[in-house]
Amino acid sequence: MMKQAIFLQFLLGILVCFSVLFSNAEDPYRYYTWFVTYGTRAPLGVKQQVILINNQFPGPPIEAVTNDNIIVNVINQLDEPFLLTWHGVKQRKTSWQDGVLGTNCPIPPHSNWTYKFQLKDQIGTYMYYPSTSMHKAIGGYGALNIEQRSVISIPYPAPAGDFTLLVGDWYKAGDKALRKKLNSGLALPLPDGLLINGLHKASVFTGQKGKTYKFRITNVGISTSINFRIQGHKMVLIEVEGSHSLQEPYESLDVHPGQSVAVLVTLRGAIKDYYIVASTRFTKPILTTTGILRYQGSNTPASLPLPIAPTYHVHWSIKQARTFRLNLTANAARPNPQGSFHYGSIKIVRTLVLANVKAKINGKLRYTVNGISYVDPTTPLKLADWFNIPGVFTLNNIKDVPTSRPPAMGVSVFGLTLHDFIEIVFQNTEPTIQSWHLDGTSFFVVGYGSGKWTTESKKRYNLADAISRHTVQVYPNSWTAVLVSLDNKGMWNLRSEIWADRFLGKQTYLRVWNNEKSLYTETDIPPNALRCGKASH
């Protein structure tokens, strides 16, 4: 009996050790409670209603580490349904948490919902923002920065500090006024100005002479591309949307809606203030805003003339875009399971050529993708798919290539198989620049060109070292091609980051699916999932 008792105590000790080991090994959790309210601010000198999170505009940043678990209780105190989406976060196996109307019921006014997701295998510069209605036009956005784990090195010297710059266009009109204008069939005018971190010509970033700082730059605007530069300083590009890039110096960088980059800036100048400048691209007139890079100890304000925005034409931009290549490093987010070195030799199983077209439907302005102007059904696609609810959407009702069909409103969903490797070509038929984003994964940007894409265009693809990203620009009357491994099961939104265009139908969904029901490929529906539409009961 004594031997049995000793053995049981020994076994219990081993179990306790294993329990402690595994509990300590679990990835950390970060908890947030966010109150979403209206408030009054004057970003451009005129008091107006904005969306605040915990009384902050922009909202509070999430500063996290790779593989952290994020728990965000969002308490909606607005007078309308509301959702946040986590732009660039892949939501591996958890499209339930994506926060768009195709996956989630919106959070009703004066109620709450808790997001639960993991920042699995990702590092880099990201953001969150409202996905509902035109809410993004009045705030509710913020930074989401993911650092690498301490055991993994970075391919550049550790900076002395880290600055986040949320740069974007701004309208003095509120979201309801903008929405009313769009619903009446009219296009939005040029924005009224640009902001950096919610301020116009008032943001200050302070550093010490001789030291190097990381600047994280994200375009949080709803309509305009920006050109970014720092007076008297070169910027070394180190990251594009979660992937490390070739470390090349730039005097200025274009950042399109929804895109993020990170640069290193070494303070080599005299001790004084220098302008940080952002100006719109492809607009007349050009809108400009400034911030200040302040050397510690400076009492000399920036006084030199503002650097003039580059006036390069579209073909320059297409050529310049090819300089963004992926510097393959160990701690970049894993862009596809086959390996970055080999993406150019993987067989493409399907090609989607998506043409965006400005159209009139029932006498009002709309935007279509391959003839369909997307309309959100009252039942989220993901819930309809999970519960086999008929009458919400039909797979492959949108064609893989542009058609001559009359433009129509509809719910467009591409049916794709888990682990398919596909080609997506964005064909821009409009005289304005476009920006496209795909939830759930990243893609390799392999080609740009003016005019119409053809199969001959493939000969120009970069099949060796294209960069992996989740948002890409398409220049006026031009095309952009990407390759993507669909290794994340779920219902994923493919949308325009020009928010008025998205509101008027320039979006679609990719249903990535297989018939295996397994927690290894997709989690079950969360127990706290909101129900609405045909999934209410």
Side-chain angles (χ1 to χ4, degrees), residues 507-524:
Q507 60 173 315
T508 186
Y509 279 83
L510 307 186
R511 180 204 189 228
V512 180
W513 186 84
N514 69 356
N515 58 8
E516 175 193 10
K517 188 160 186 177
S518 168
L519 295 179
Y520 288 104
T521 56
E522 186 177 35
T523 64
D524 287 334

Side-chain angles (χ1 to χ4, degrees), residues 229-290:
R229 59 252 189 227
I230 301 176
Q231 185 182 41
H233 292 73
K234 288 191 181 297
M235 302 175 291
V236 177
L237 185 69
I238 57 170
E239 179 220 332
V240 178
E241 297 171 22
S243 291
H244 291 132
S245 62
L246 286 176
Q247 295 175 23
E248 297 180 337
Y250 292 85
E251 293 185 355
S252 70
L253 285 169
D254 284 355
V255 187
H256 305 281
Q259 295 184 358
S260 299
V261 299
V263 299
L264 294 181
V265 179
T266 301
L267 277 54
R268 293 193 174 98
I271 297 179
K272 62 176 185 178
D273 290 355
Y274 297 85
Y275 284 119
I276 295 171
V277 186
S279 56
T280 56
R281 295 281 275 121
F282 309 106
T283 66
K284 291 181 181 180
I286 295 173
L287 305 175
T288 299
T289 190
T290 57

